[in-house]
Structure formats: C-alpha cells, structure tokens
Amino acid sequence: MLECMPEGEVVHTVGKINPTKTCQPIGAMYAALGIHRCLPHSHGSQGCCAYHRMHLTRHFRDPVLASTSSFTEGASVFGGAANLKTAIKNVFEIYKPDIIAVHTTCLSETIGDDLPTIIKQSEVPEGKVVIHANTPSYQGSHITGFSNMVKAMVTYLAERDEEALRRKRVNIIPGFVNPSDMREIKRITASLGVDMTMFPDTTNVLDSPLTAKYDMYPEGGATVEQIRDSGNSRLTLALGAWSSNAAGAALMEKCGVPCVPLKVPIGLKATDDLIMTMREKFDAVVPEDLTLERGQVVDTLIDTHFHYQGKKVAIFGDPDIVIPLTEFVLTMGMIPKYVITGTPGKAFEEEVGAMIEAAGIEDYIVKAEGDLFELHLWIKEESVDLLLGTTYGKYIARAEDIPLVRVGFPILDRAVHPLMPITGYRGCLRLIEMISNALLERRDRDCLDEDYELVL
Amino acid sequence: MEHDCSLASGGTGCISERQNSIITTGKNKSRIHCADDSLAGAVSQRACVFCGARVVLNPITDAIHLVHGPIGCATYTWDIRGSLSSDSEMYRHSFSTDLKEKDVVFGGEPKLAACIDEVISKYHPPAVFVYSTCVVGMIGDDIIAVCKDASERHGIDIIPVESSGFLSGNKIVGYRAAAEALMKLIRPKPGEVIEKTRKLNFLGEYNLGGEKWLIERYLNEIGIEVNVAFTGDSTVAALKRAPGSCLNIVQCTGSMHWVATNLEKEYGIPYLDVNFFGAENTADSLRRIAAFYGDPEIIRRAESLIEREMNRITPIIARYRKKLTGKRTAIYVGGAFKAVALIRQMKDLGMEVVVTGTQTGKQEEYDTISGLLSEGAIVVDDANPAEIERFLLDLKVDVMAGGVKERVLAYKLGIGFVDHNHERKECLAGFDGAVTFAREVYITTCSPVWKHLKASIGGEEL
C-alpha cells in the first residue's frame, strides 16, 4: 500500500516530505544545454553532476553531458580553485566546446569559491568563453538556478553596438520548458514573420533524432554569437516571470533592450498575449493559419466543455507552468481547488489567488514552497477529480484513485512528452485532449454497464 | 592512443592521463589503474558517497530515510530503485530537512532535530536513518550528537549515515558508510540475546524486480530459510535478528563484503560468496549453500531443483542463443561483481564480450575480468561517454548492458541496450531471471526498429 498518510491530526511545519522542487544546479545545467556547443560544468562533488545528468536524461530520454570539478576532501578544505582551473583546461583540450557554463553547488558556495576570479585566472583558449552562475542549492529551486544561468548568459555575453544598428528582431527567453515548446514558440514567431533569437534553446539538443551517429554537441542551441547580438535586438519577451524575468531585466539594463514579461504561452489567453504583443511591437500580420488554429481551439473547447466544466483539479509543479495552466483550466471552466509550487515566493500565491478570485471561486488553496505531502493532506480533507502535474503526483493518484495528467518537469514514467508541445494553440488542443480523455477513461472505467456509452 | 580517437562528429574523449585506466586483454603487460579519483573536468559516469550509501540503505522498507541537506539530494534519490517491498512502503517517500541559507550560516542541527521529532510523531517508525550531505559535512553539523539525543528522546534507533558527497567520488566509500550504519543498527543492546537459528542472511540482495523473493523460493524449496536480506525487502526488526543466522551468503560484494567480514568477526557467522545471475551461477551457488548445510536431504533437494529448472529453461535459452550467436556486446556497470556475472551470461547466449568496464572495480577484480575475456577485448575503469562511444563504434557492438546514462547513448548510436542497473524493473536473477535476461537481450538486439535506421526520406542514405 503506497498510502503513508499518518492517522489523526497531522502537523507538518518543518522540512519537506515528497518535495515538488529540486535544487538550483540542475536548472542551470538545463539552461546551459540551450547554448550551442556548450558543456555545462558542475563545480562541486561528482554526485551532483551525475544526479543532474541522470534526472535530465530520465525526463528527456536523450544523452546529457556535463563535466564536474570532482571535489574531494582536499578541495573542500583548500577551496576548489585548483580543481576548476584544471577542469577548464581539461575540458577545452578534450571535449572542445565553444563555451563552458559553470554553475556552483551548495558545497562550493559554502566553501566560498570566488568564481569570477578563478575564471579570470584560468587558461581559456582564444575564441572560447567561460561563463558562470552562482546556484546555491539552499536557496530557491531548480527554477532559480535556470533563471540565474540565463541571466549569466546576458551579463557575460550580450553586447550592444550603435543604436542605429539595432535590429528589428525579438529576443525570446522561453523559460524552463520542453524543447517541443521552444519549437512551437519559434514556429509561431516565424509564422508572424518576426526575426528572432531564442536563448536558451534546447531544440535539436534534447529532442535530437536517432541517426546512429552521436554528436557530443548536437546541432541546436543558441550560438554564443547570437546571444552576444541579442543586445542589438529591438525587444525581449521574457516568458515566465520566475525563469526569464531576471535575464530580460539584465538585458534591458545592460543593452537597453526593452523587455515585456509574459506568461509561458500555455492556454488560449497566454498564447493570444504572445501573438498580440508581437503583432503590436513589430506590426506583424497574423497569418490565416494561426487564426485557424485559434478557431479550432475555441471550437474544441465548446465541443467538449461538458466533459470537464465544474470538475475540481489540483495543480502542482513549477510556477511558470502552473500559473498559465491554472489560467487555462479556468478558461475550461474547471475549478483549481489546490495549486502549489515547490519554489518559494509569495508572488506566486498572489498571482494565482487573484486569477482564481477573478473567476468567482472562493474555496481554494494556493501555496508556494509547498510539498506533495501537504497536497495529499488537503486532498484527504476534500478530494479533487483530477491531478495536473509531474510524475511525482502518481503516489497520490494511486492512493486516492484520482487520474493524473502529466505536465511539467520532471516526467519520468512516460515518454514522448518532451516532443509534444503544451504551448501555443496546438498545445491547447493537446491539453484539452489529455484532460478530457483522462476524465472520460475514468468515467468508462467506473460507470455501471447501463451507463456505459458508445458515444460521449 | 590519445591522438587517434577523434570522433567523426567532433567530440573526442581521451584524456592522456587515462591511458592506464584502459587495457586490452592479451596486449598490456601492466595492470589497470582503478583506484584513481576521476579527473577534474572529466565527464565521469561516477557518482558520490551519498549515492552509494543511499542505494544500500534505502530498501529498508519501514525505516524513515531522512536526508539532511538542501532539497536536491533527497529529490534525486526519491524512489529511484526498483527494490520491492512485501509490506511497508515508507521507504518510497522522500524526507528532507530542506536546508536554507540561514541553516547553512547558523547550522542545521536545530532543524534536523525538529524534523526528526516531526517525522517520528507522525509515523512512529522503528528507526530513522539520517544521511549527511556535502553541505552538512562542510558546516560541521554534529549529526552523531543530534541523532544520539533524538534516539534517547524517542527510544528508537536514529542512525547517522556519514555520507557527505565530497568524501570521495567513489560510491564504495558510501557503501562503507551504509555498512557501518547497518552494523550499528543490528548490534544487540547490552543484555539482549538473539537466538541462534539455522537460517541464513542474504547480503547484497536488493530485491530488484522481486529477485530476493525468487531466490528465497528456491532456498525454501530445498529446506533453507532466509532470515533477512541486506537490504532488499528488509525491515528494521528483521535486520536486528541478523546476528542469529548461521550463514551469510553475499551477492553484491562491492557493497557487502565488509559487512560479511564484520558479521563473522562480531557474531562468528561464516559467509559464502554467491551469484544468482545466470543459470550456471545459480546452480553453483545453490550447491555450495547446500554443501555448507551438509544435510543430505538439502543436497538432494537442491540437485532435484537444479535439474528440474535446467531442463525447463535450457530449451528456451537455446532458442534465444540461436538468434544471438555471434553478436557483439559491451558491458559497463557499477561494480565488478555484476560485470563478471554479465560476461558469463552473455557468453552463455553465444555472444562475444568485446568491452567491459566498471565504475568501482578493484585491481584483482579486473584481473578476473581479463581472464574471462578473449584476446583483444577492452577492459576500462571509470569510462567517460566519449570513450564508451568510441569502443561501441570501433568494436562494432550490437548490444550494451549498463545504466541509465549509457542507455540513451547506446540508442543514439543505433545499439541495443539492456538495463542491469540498480533501477531495473525486471527480475534477472535465478533460473527465471536467466530467461528474462535472454529475452531482454533478444528484444533489444533484434528490434525491428533497427531496420528503419538506414532508411531515408530525403533521398540521401543516412
């Protein structure tokens, strides 16, 4: 029996039980993989690097390479400077990346290694680059780490030339999403005829085809040159406040590129917002195809609304996914009863709370820095019809017999998802399909013979 | 050798310092270097002390496993093993002190104590294991003292596991930390007497895919009872009865040899190395266990079980062998014990083993491995992905056995893959496991998908 809920009144105030977040460095590693020919480097013990690579590999089912400073007791006592310098030299010699993106760990942060100085003192071959982000595991979450590394790309690389050379181009910072979502956002942008730079960009890196050849550095990723030139773009769209705003703000400050913060385009409204913003800022013409796609979403919503309207749902995962997902669930007429993220930050509670209140729903709980033990407690108190979140929800799903629709990071027990977008209008269709099918499968499973219908 | 290994795709992977960690059977006079730490900057497949300790202890089903550190260490090790339980599922939940900056600055001891109190008041577990992580070792939290206090407060075993990651890049050090924690757990309290029995303990068995259950069925059939396994499907109470056994059989020597020798020293329990991977190994192990008991009835029953099972599976394995004969295979696993077992099984299937590597093998184990391989086969310690890739391509490997990181690499190269890692879901032990293993190798080596690899829709041959 997977149910391990204690009996009686339960108090949970300290530590985490069944977390729905992980630590900063893995987010930094994922972001760094979105730079072309970049080798992420973990400045800490070997285990961190091995765990991050394994976790990412389980989600994406693609090879994830990263190097490590391989701290031992000596390095921990005397500081990791020598390890990092040796590592940088070795990595450029052996693995020949264009760029090394170093992130710290709780160990090197606690030791207090001064990364900018160590990097300055390192041997970096002509034309190669080393950047770094501080990613102490004891602050924030993997989303914070992602955000810190994307910001580091800007602070290290982005440059601005003459104002006259500013290009009619948009920078898109896509947030911690799957390569399929980045691909979809690029497709939408291209169809609007807007020139773009996306960074980080893990398409063709973590969704690469099987060719019987292995590229240590696959085709994809934003090049160092593209990120450098992002300082000359006309506009930045930072998708997802938690993972992208810091980089957008840094780019505004450093290179004067105005930044519009938007949600990750999950759901009808967030996708509309992305398209409208580009239309307005670049005088873009929205092509027939996109209008058609949107029309199909609205059509499908109406065709299926009675399958899910009024159903209660618990949503958990990363803030930039959960926020627009909650918005879309409200569009669908469902009731977001419990909404949690593991990432700390009161702003999450305010934003989601305001959305739910605006929909006239009063009976709900929103929590930042929660864990799945707590969510399970609430569900015990009053159940829901559907769980929407990561693989880690499967214990609650089984214990309480509630269907789980897998969305977000990580998904460790199902395949194909990193290739299928949940963003854009096509992503809306996919979400509607997954959600309504999950509820209908349940209905078919549970109903009496006389209620078992051919046509639903 | 470091200059001739550039890859077609631009990635290279040979570090000149590593040439002593790779040997070719029959060619090198020198012995392999395997006690070296991984180089800084290497894309190593190795992990850390914490990882080693966690995989050994986590299968104890009814204990609470509390990770003292920032959240990541708990998240990445949450329920990732395929160790099955026949009762409590407590071990499949993730407990972390979730250390924050202020804990790191002011010390994490109060939070650890509070977390221990909270989980005990909620769950009343029979024991709590408290794992230290890098940052805890660094700031010097005295987890031994916190555990001792809490243990007195609550009257249960609260056992510190000294597993700070940076202590070593070699999981073996973590196995040792876990082994010490186990010895602490099972040591009888003063005055406590544990009754001696004719049962045996099964060390280094983690019940992946129910493997412990299967072997236990064999042993029961021949008249031997299993006291407890270390640690697959074990409970705290059962582990505490371990000193009452008359024999320890040791499967995964990397993690449990130290425990076996200490159980012999402290409780006078002799041990036997066994190996239940592959039919021949299984038969051999059962015979040696039966011989230890020396009871003619046990020996007779063992022989009849072996005969029956061999008769049953031999024709099935032969069918797979027909399909697999002549295929070339590579093995890259954590410990040498598993590598040796796999070499035998692959050879039983008529396959040629052309590469064998481990993350944690010892000198004499590598000698054994070399002895099993034919001339020209490669033996490698702590390989990096680029080395693995080069071997797979150069030696025209058809199928590889390894862990999660090697799986996707093998697939990308168009090579089949069998999971023989501690996360596998299939039972690969015993006579039934030998059949399952053959089927797994067959499925991946002979998948119809490989035929489509060469096809192209763009006109150009891929």
Side-chain angles (χ1 to χ4, degrees):
Chain A
M1 192 55 193
L2 272 169
E3 180 163 2
C4 276
M5 273 290 137
E7 300 284 317
E9 197 181 329
V10 179
V11 185
H12 176 38
T13 52
V14 61
K16 290 280 177 291
I17 307 175
N18 300 345
T20 177
K21 66 166 177 180
T22 183
C23 64
Q24 285 209 41
I26 196 173
M29 188 181 282
Y30 180 53
L33 290 166
I35 306 177
H36 183 58
R37 293 187 63 81
C38 174
L39 191 69
H41 181 84
S42 165
H43 186 50
S45 298
Q46 252 166 221
C48 308
C49 188
Y51 280 136
H52 303 147
R53 289 174 55 208
M54 231 163 355
H55 212 57
L56 291 169
T57 288
R58 289 191 185 109
H59 177 86
F60 295 106
R61 300 188 190 225
D62 254 2
V64 171
L65 291 198
S67 53
T68 159
S69 292
S70 297
F71 270 47
T72 51
E73 212 157 5
S76 309
V77 175
F78 302 112
N83 283 51
L84 184 52
K85 286 179 202 168
T86 311
I88 289 173
K89 183 168 168 288
N90 277 340
V91 166
F92 278 126
E93 254 175 47
I94 301 152
Y95 303 109
K96 300 181 174 58
D98 287 354
I99 171 170
I100 300 174
V102 183
H103 61 262
T104 56
T105 57
C106 46
L107 180 59
S108 53
E109 285 289 333
T110 309
I111 293 167
D113 280 344
D114 175 8
L115 263 71
T117 307
I118 301 172
I119 291 170
K120 271 196 204 98
Q121 293 169 347
S122 298
E123 276 178 57
V124 179
E126 184 73 26
K128 306 278 181 163
V129 199
V130 179
I131 66 173
H132 96 281
N134 290 95
T135 51
S137 321
Y138 43 76
Q139 283 174 356
S141 73
H142 56 296
I143 297 303
T144 323
F146 181 91
S147 165
N148 287 345
M149 183 53 84
V150 184
K151 185 181 168 193
M153 294 175 196
V154 171
T155 49
Y156 266 96
L157 302 176
E159 279 169 21
R160 170 193 193 176
D161 302 314
E162 303 287 312
E163 191 57 32
L165 294 174
R166 199 169 278 290
R167 302 209 20 216
K168 190 178 169 186
R169 180 182 58 206
V170 64
N171 300 321
I172 299 184
I173 307 177
F176 195 131
V177 293
N178 280 329
S180 53
D181 295 309
M182 298 184 187
R183 204 178 278 283
E184 181 63 7
I185 293 163
K186 287 202 287 189
R187 185 186 70 89
I188 291 170
T189 309
S191 80
L192 289 163
V194 178
D195 190 14
M196 103 197 90
T197 291
M198 177 177 280
F199 69 93
D201 177 2
T202 56
T203 60
N204 291 334
V205 180
L206 290 168
D207 60 357
S208 60
L210 199 167
T211 57
K213 274 186 307 198
Y214 171 64
D215 286 318
M216 181 154 175
Y217 305 105
E219 249 177 58
T223 62
V224 170
E225 192 41 53
Q226 283 171 328
I227 301 174
R228 194 166 273 152
D229 199 37
S230 69
N232 293 316
S233 294
R234 186 193 278 183
L235 180 76
T236 302
L237 297 179
L239 309 184
W242 300 74
S243 37
S244 305
N245 274 9
L251 199 50
M252 179 141 75
E253 193 181 323
K254 189 176 179 192
C255 305
V257 185
C259 175
V260 177
L262 290 171
K263 292 191 182 80
V264 171
I266 295 170
L268 202 57
K269 179 158 186 314
T271 304
D272 288 352
D273 288 347
L274 174 70
I275 292 169
M276 308 271 268
T277 305
M278 283 197 274
R279 195 185 75 180
E280 181 192 327
K281 299 286 181 181
F282 292 92
D283 293 324
V285 179
V286 177
E288 281 292 316
D289 283 356
L290 276 185
T291 309
L292 173 80
E293 282 175 27
R294 187 182 192 282
Q296 288 174 325
V297 173
V298 179
D299 185 64
T300 307
L301 280 169
I302 273 305
D303 286 344
T304 57
H305 69 281
F306 43 85
H307 292 317
Y308 41 73
Q309 194 161 319
K311 299 279 188 194
K312 283 181 283 187
V313 55
I315 310 175
F316 57 95
D318 300 332
D320 291 331
I321 304 288
V322 168
I323 291 169
L325 205 52
T326 305
E327 188 174 66
F328 188 49
V329 156
L330 288 166
T331 302
M332 293 171 74
M334 299 177 77
I335 299 166
K337 175 85 185 152
Y338 309 119
V339 184
I340 72 164
T341 183
T343 301
K346 286 285 160 205
F348 173 82
E349 294 173 9
E350 285 159 17
E351 184 168 359
V352 174
M355 251 177 338
I356 300 177
E357 301 261 336
I361 297 163
E362 283 162 7
D363 188 15
Y364 67 94
I365 304 178
V366 181
K367 185 162 181 190
E369 213 181 353
D371 60 26
L372 293 176
F373 176 86
E374 207 166 11
L375 177 63
H376 198 169
L377 275 184
W378 299 334
I379 288 175
K380 281 258 173 224
E381 201 58 34
E382 188 183 340
S383 194
V384 292
D385 301 297
L386 183 73
L387 298 168
L388 210 46
T390 67
T391 284
Y392 290 119
K394 76 187 289 180
Y395 305 101
I396 302 178
R398 187 173 173 95
E400 304 304 325
D401 196 21
I402 302 169
L404 165 67
V405 167
R406 288 164 176 78
V407 181
F409 174 87
I411 295 174
L412 310 170
D413 60 341
R414 296 289 187 272
V416 196
H417 59 89
L419 303 171
M420 308 294 279
I422 55 165
T423 44
Y425 299 126
R426 287 181 180 175
C428 291
L429 291 179
R430 180 151 174 267
L431 285 170
I432 297 167
E433 186 183 21
M434 288 194 297
I435 289 171
S436 55
N437 284 1
L439 292 167
L440 291 174
E441 294 290 352
R442 185 52 58 114
R443 173 181 162 155
D444 281 346
R445 191 198 78 177
D446 291 346
C447 71
L448 298 171
D449 273 2
E450 51 265 46
D451 297 326
Y452 189 66
E453 301 254 16
L454 178 72
V455 181
L456 287 170
Chain B
M1 91 183 295
E2 65 272 26
H3 297 300
D4 62 3
C5 60
S6 60
L7 302 169
S9 49
T12 64
C14 283
I15 306 176
S16 54
E17 285 91 333
R18 283 200 30 83
Q19 58 191 335
N20 290 328
S21 300
I22 303 168
I23 60 167
T24 306
T25 306
K27 278 190 186 159
N28 302 52
K29 293 269 186 304
S30 60
R31 298 174 84 194
I32 199 163
H33 284 217
C34 54
D36 302 351
D37 284 328
S38 302
L39 291 161
V43 179
S44 168
Q45 307 292 79
R46 278 181 178 165
C48 66
V49 178
F50 170 73
C51 174
R54 213 45 182 122
V55 296
V56 171
L57 294 176
N58 202 61
I60 303 173
T61 59
D62 59 350
I64 282 190
H65 300 268
L66 174 59
V67 180
H68 184 35
I71 198 72
C73 302
T75 301
Y76 304 125
T77 54
W78 176 6
D79 200 21
I80 57 169
R81 289 199 82 168
S83 291
L84 305 184
S85 166
S86 54
D87 188 13
S88 175
E89 302 280 359
M90 185 54 79
Y91 70 120
R92 300 184 65 181
H93 292 257
S94 173
F95 298 90
S96 167
T97 52
D98 189 20
L99 289 187
K100 301 293 170 56
E101 190 166 21
K102 79 171 194 311
D103 306 312
V104 174
V105 174
F106 298 108
E109 292 172 17
K111 194 168 191 184
L112 173 58
C115 276
I116 294 174
D117 291 347
E118 192 189 293
V119 294
I120 290 177
S121 71
K122 272 210 276 287
Y123 292 109
H124 315 290
V128 180
F129 289 95
V130 175
Y131 300 77
S132 71
T133 57
C134 284
V135 77
V136 165
M138 204 59 212
I139 61 178
D141 272 3
D142 188 350
I143 67 161
I144 298 177
V146 174
C147 290
K148 188 162 175 280
D149 283 357
S151 191
E152 280 163 16
R153 207 161 51 242
H154 297 285
I156 62 165
D157 288 292
I158 299 174
I159 306 214
V161 186
E162 300 195 64
S163 52
S164 288
F166 62 79
L167 293 173
S168 170
N170 201 319
K171 277 194 287 195
I172 287 206
V173 181
Y175 296 158
R176 177 63 176 274
E180 285 174 10
L182 280 168
M183 291 303 292
K184 245 178 251 170
L185 179 76
I186 66 177
R187 198 162 289 137
K189 302 275 179 287
E192 194 181 348
V193 180
I194 292 162
E195 201 187 322
K196 283 282 175 190
T197 66
R198 293 293 289 162
K199 296 179 184 178
L200 58 76
N201 298 323
F202 193 175
L203 273 56
E205 167 52 59
Y206 299 98
N207 201 30
L208 304 175
E211 288 170 352
K212 181 236 172 189
W213 296 333
L214 180 74
I215 304 303
E216 192 171 14
R217 277 209 295 281
Y218 297 157
L219 292 171
N220 288 347
E221 184 181 329
I222 68 174
I224 296 170
E225 275 184 80
V226 177
N227 191 1
V228 64
F230 282 52
T231 54
D233 193 27
S234 66
T235 61
V236 171
L239 283 166
K240 282 170 172 291
R241 290 194 297 271
S245 291
C246 69
L247 172 68
N248 288 320
I249 56 172
V250 189
Q251 172 134 270
C252 178
T253 51
S255 62
M256 282 295 159
H257 209 262
W258 187 87
V259 175
T261 51
N262 276 275
L263 287 171
E264 184 164 36
K265 247 190 282 174
E266 285 190 39
Y267 308 105
I269 308 172
Y271 68 87
L272 271 181
D273 283 332
V274 296
N275 183 341
F276 287 104
F277 293 114
E280 295 293 337
N281 284 337
T282 302
D284 178 55
S285 297
L286 287 172
R287 286 194 177 108
R288 287 189 302 115
I289 295 167
F292 171 85
Y293 280 87
D295 177 339
E297 177 58 14
I298 290 179
I299 294 170
R300 189 195 61 77
R301 285 200 208 171
E303 288 305 331
S304 97
L305 183 151
I306 291 165
E307 195 189 344
R308 184 193 71 212
E309 291 297 307
M310 284 304 229
N311 285 341
R312 185 172 65 84
I313 69 165
T314 305
I316 311 176
I317 302 252
R319 281 209 298 278
Y320 288 118
R321 190 186 303 120
K322 215 183 255 175
K323 306 270 186 195
L324 292 169
T325 294
K327 299 278 186 194
R328 297 160 71 83
T329 179
I331 294 166
Y332 189 76
V333 289
F337 161 80
K338 210 185 282 171
V340 169
L342 278 168
I343 292 171
R344 292 205 175 113
Q345 279 190 276
M346 294 292 198
K347 286 167 112 181
D348 281 352
L349 289 170
M351 302 174 74
E352 193 184 342
V353 180
V354 293
V355 187
T356 303
T358 85
Q359 292 171 38
T360 59
K362 294 199 269 299
Q363 188 80 66
E364 56 280 12
E365 292 172 329
Y366 279 117
D367 291 345
T368 312
I369 288 173
S370 297
L372 288 171
L373 300 176
S374 10
E375 194 166 321
I378 303 278
V379 180
V380 57
D381 179 61
D382 185 27
N384 63 48
E387 286 168 352
I388 295 174
E389 176 192 4
R390 183 165 57 94
F391 297 141
L392 293 181
L393 293 178
D394 288 358
L395 300 169
K396 302 195 170 13
V397 168
D398 297 298
V399 59
M400 179 183 193
V404 59
K405 282 177 300 224
E406 291 80 38
R407 175 194 289 272
V408 284
L409 179 61
Y411 287 164
K412 278 283 188 258
L413 296 170
I415 289 167
F417 181 86
V418 189
D419 192 350
H420 212 294
N421 196 24
H422 61 77
E423 295 163 35
R424 67 177 179 273
K425 312 297 174 203
E426 298 290 342
C427 170
L428 298 182
F431 300 105
D432 296 85
V435 172
T436 311
F437 180 77
R439 190 186 66 223
E440 295 258 297
V441 174
Y442 164 72
I443 282 174
T444 191
T445 310
C446 304
S447 164
V449 176
W450 298 128
K451 281 201 284 266
H452 300 280
L453 202 60
K454 295 280 176 218
S456 159
I457 52 168
E460 232 174 288
E461 176 121 344
L462 290 174

